[in-house]
Amino acid sequence: MSLHSILGVSRVAKKKASSSSKSRSSSSALAWASSLPRTKPGGNKSKLLKHDDDDDDDNDHGRNYDGHYDVQERLDNIGPVRALIPPSAAGPSNDITYTHRSIRARMFDPVPDRAAGMNSTRIAAVLQFRAAIPPVVSAAHIAALRATSSSPAAAERELARLVRAGVARRVVVPTRGAIGELVVLAGDLEALVRGSVAVDPQTRAAFVSWLAENPAALTLRGPEAAGLSPAQVDQLVRAGFLTAQLGAAQTGVYARPDERYTMISVETVSRAAAGSMAAVGGDGVLHAAGGTGARSIAGPSSSSSSSGVAAGAALNVAAPGCGAFLKLVAAALAHLAELLQKTRYREMPERDLREKWDGGIAGDKEAAAAKKARGEFAGILPGRTKKWRHFNGLAFEWALHEAVGTGLVEVFDTRSVGRGVRLV
């Protein structure tokens, strides 16, 4: 006998749901789920973010969330920018030496004192590279900055006057185009010569005297006429103050490999009769091309020194370290052009181009500090960027002014985003 029968209480029966209500609730749930858009995980994340930030001013000119710049429309072009730097920073209108020194002073950015992302060895290498750069500036860079206060023709006339007066000297590397026409102050070049340990005192004095007597000379024609012996010329060449003149075939040891006479050289074969010895390079061609012995290509009667500089040879005046300087400038201009080529119209706001040049490093602003405090990504360290790994901290303004001077890019004013940069 159960407890319910003794107490006289009937068992409470639970109400069971009918099959119609179950089907109705399940069908409504399916209908609600089917109304949702079907998307793959993370497939339209960029589109949703872009849709949410359509009114953001930072995205008005194509900065997407992948770190690339895709300008959907051309930037407004009010006109070219004449003053790349403030007139007060350009100096007096007729002072090329001030412009020269200011360009050199602004070439590199200072090494970050903290959170540089570089160890002491890397920082020492950066400082050593900067110290090895010669005190030269391209003439195109000077013309670009002098356009702030004077015309390009006036700047060229002033530079020519300083060269004739012996204040400045031109150093030309023909194979480098516009960036190969360099300007060095006469005092700086003289200091390099007198401080060179690879040149003896007598050679230093003779070469400095020749530089003072020939302020506008680009080449040294006939070392004997300048009072330099072949051994002294050899010292100057090895120290980097003289280089072999380009444009004509050379036979000395300082000639470039593609300019030396060879057995199949067109310069040699085209002037020789078929079947003759001269048609295959002449007598002693192997010795002149680098083989054993000291015979010259023109025969034993040719006057050539043991140092490899022929009598009457023309040598270009140079500054030690010009090769490293030109290599750095060429690589920087190529990188700047590559950044602009990634956009649709080969143009970009200057502030965006600066950000790309710096590599999106972690800044010192309040927003970056707040992100660091929250543990969020605030940017990479400077030592991991191309600016410091390959260019040793080359300043963006310096590279931009060099590109403007060589005609690689042009800077123009816009109505809303400041200055724009366009690849020519």
Side-chain angles (χ1 to χ4, degrees):
M1 201 172 190
S2 64
L3 182 61
H4 289 283
S5 61
I6 297 173
L7 296 177
V9 180
S10 61
R11 183 176 297 182
V12 179
K14 295 182 179 179
K15 185 178 180 181
K16 296 182 179 181
S18 61
S19 59
S20 60
S21 61
K22 288 184 178 180
S23 61
R24 189 183 304 110
S25 59
S26 60
S27 61
S28 60
L30 293 175
W32 176 82
S34 61
S35 64
L36 294 177
R38 297 182 179 180
T39 58
K40 294 182 179 180
N44 296 330
K45 183 178 180 180
S46 61
K47 294 183 180 179
L48 293 176
L49 290 174
K50 186 175 181 180
H51 177 72
D52 293 339
D53 297 337
D54 281 341
D55 297 333
D56 193 356
D57 293 337
D58 292 340
N59 295 329
D60 287 344
H61 293 277
R63 182 188 299 180
N64 57 34
Y65 289 86
D66 296 332
H68 299 285
Y69 292 80
D70 186 12
V71 179
Q72 302 296 333
E73 298 180 359
R74 286 186 178 276
L75 298 176
D76 296 332
N77 188 355
I78 300 177
V81 174
R82 178 175 177 83
L84 294 177
I85 59 176
S88 58
S93 59
N94 57 349
D95 194 352
I96 298 292
T97 58
Y98 179 87
T99 305
H100 188 281
R101 293 190 177 94
S102 65
I103 291 174
R104 289 185 53 207
R106 297 193 304 267
M107 184 173 182
F108 294 101
D109 286 336
V111 179
D113 53 353
R114 61 184 182 85
M118 298 180 288
N119 55 17
S120 59
T121 304
R122 177 55 186 157
I123 293 177
V126 170
L127 297 179
Q128 290 177 0
F129 177 84
R130 294 183 178 186
I133 294 296
V136 297
V137 172
S138 67
H141 199 147
I142 294 178
L145 296 189
R146 296 314 305 173
T148 301
S149 56
S150 61
S151 63
E156 182 65 24
R157 289 194 299 268
E158 176 62 20
L159 181 58
R161 186 188 68 80
L162 293 178
V163 170
R164 291 193 301 268
V167 179
R169 175 176 289 274
R170 293 180 183 269
V171 176
V172 179
V173 182
T175 58
R176 288 294 187 173
I179 64 174
E181 186 176 351
L182 307 176
V183 178
V184 57
L185 299 181
D188 294 339
L189 182 59
E190 181 179 348
L192 289 177
V193 175
R194 295 189 182 279
S196 177
V197 296
V199 182
D200 59 66
Q202 294 79 9
T203 304
R204 291 199 295 262
F207 188 59
V208 168
S209 176
W210 180 86
L211 291 175
E213 295 174 359
N214 304 271
L218 299 177
T219 59
L220 176 63
R221 297 186 178 276
E224 294 80 5
L228 298 173
S229 64
Q232 291 176 326
V233 173
D234 182 74
Q235 293 181 19
L236 294 173
V237 171
R238 294 182 183 278
F241 295 104
L242 294 175
T243 59
Q245 186 177 11
L246 305 179
Q250 304 287 334
T251 60
V253 296
Y254 303 119
R256 296 168 63 93
D258 55 344
E259 292 173 354
R260 295 184 181 181
Y261 282 106
T262 62
M263 294 182 64
I264 57 174
S265 173
V266 176
E267 184 74 18
T268 302
V269 176
S270 62
R271 299 182 180 182
S276 62
M277 182 65 69
V280 293
D283 186 22
V285 64
L286 295 179
H287 302 280
T292 58
R295 298 178 62 185
S296 67
I297 191 171
S301 61
S302 175
S303 58
S304 61
S305 63
S306 59
S307 63
V309 180
L315 302 173
N316 290 335
V317 179
C322 282
F325 174 82
L326 294 175
K327 183 178 180 180
L328 174 66
V329 174
L333 295 184
H335 179 57
L336 200 66
E338 182 182 1
L339 294 177
L340 292 173
Q341 287 175 351
K342 291 181 179 179
T343 61
R344 177 174 300 180
Y345 298 108
R346 298 156 61 96
E347 60 185 16
M348 188 183 301
E350 183 181 1
R351 63 180 182 182
D352 294 345
L353 185 60
R354 181 196 304 274
E355 182 180 348
K356 295 292 290 183
W357 176 270
D358 292 339
I361 61 175
D364 296 331
K365 298 181 180 179
E366 297 180 359
K371 288 183 178 180
K372 290 180 181 179
R374 294 192 302 266
E376 299 177 1
F377 177 76
I380 62 177
L381 297 177
R384 298 176 180 271
T385 62
K386 190 172 184 177
K387 172 183 176 179
W388 289 95
R389 288 189 293 107
H390 297 280
F391 304 141
N392 295 280
L394 188 66
F396 168 75
E397 290 83 0
W398 195 96
L400 180 61
H401 298 165
E402 185 75 23
V404 172
T406 57
L408 180 66
V409 301
E410 62 178 358
V411 182
F412 58 93
D413 282 323
T414 64
R415 287 188 174 88
S416 58
V417 293
R419 302 197 302 187
V421 182
R422 179 185 295 113
L423 185 64
V424 178

